[in-house]
Amino acid sequence: MDLIEAIKSRKSIRGYKETPVPKEILTEIMEIATRAPSSTNTQPWEFTVLGGTVLDDLKQTLQEQFLTGTETNPDFSVKAPTGVYRKRQVELGITLFQLMDIAREDKEKRNLWTLSMLRAFDAPNAIIINVDEEIYNDWAMFGLGSISQTIALVAVNFGLGTCIQRALIDYPDVVRQITGIPQSKKLAIGIAIGYPDWDFPANKLQSNREPLTNITTWHGF
Ligand SMILES: Cc1cc2nc3c(=O)[nH]c(=O)nc-3n(C[C@H](O)[C@H](O)[C@H](O)COP(=O)(O)O)c2cc1C
């Protein structure tokens, strides 16, 4: 597949077919994606790949955490966006909820959406990206971003969709319990992966981007 076409067609997929992704394809995707750049080639990423009953179990337990009102406690600090960043976040939420027919005041439907997020949007597979505490620093996060996007792009080549998801690592202790990831590994991000259900309303979403002129200054031209 053409690289530019893959970059332009990648989008977050929030509705999937049930068909599991063959292990060989997931392996190939991750193998190719590890060509992603990282600070001084430290390659700070490690993968925990989930499917079958283990992923079912995780989805169930994550939902229970939410339903019992357990506070989220991600391994990484979270700062709520403000200003223009908040504006972009709200814009995304409004468009997404319009597509999903979720009214702002409809708490029940909003909760159902959160539950679907905690089920990795019913994707048949998920990849958790971990980083060892020995290498963790802000530069490592840069590498974790680069591997995440590379996985998402390579997945497009295989007809797969992804959603990079913080929601999957919001309750890291539960993920550790089910997968045996040790305490010394920080859970950086989750990626839902599977074959897109193109009829699912949220998959029609084309998120906005700031025009280049608003975010770029040129010098010496
Ligand atoms: C670090 C990170 C965390 C994200 N977490 C979530 C999440 O928990 N739930 C979700 O629906 N989307 C999540 N997303 C997807 C973003 O909302 C999405 O990338 C953004 O709106 C741009 O849309 P696009 O991916 O379709 O281009 C996350 C993306 C990133 C990079």
Side-chain angles (χ1 to χ4, degrees), residues 10-12 14 92 117 121 163-167 189 207 209:
R10 186 220 54 86
K11 55 154 86 173
S12 292
R14 298 182 174 92
L92 172 82
M117 208 150 59
F121 298 114
C163 188
I164 297 173
Q165 271 198 280
R166 185 189 118 195
I189 202 71
S207 56
R209 291 297 186 272

Side-chain angles (χ1 to χ4, degrees), residues 5 18 20 29-30 37 55 58 68 89 105 114 117 126 162 165 170 172-173 187 202 209-210:
E5 191 191 330
E18 282 179 15
I29 290 171
M30 289 181 294
L55 183 56
L58 179 65
T68 53
Q89 182 188 41
E105 60 285 354
T114 302
M117 208 150 59
T162 54
Q165 271 198 280
D170 265 349
D173 296 336
L187 275 52
R209 291 297 186 272
E210 200 68 29

Side-chain angles (χ1 to χ4, degrees), residues 102-110:
I102 302 174
R104 195 181 154 78
E105 60 285 354
D106 192 337
K107 197 149 191 287
E108 197 186 326
K109 273 193 178 175
R110 289 172 76 111

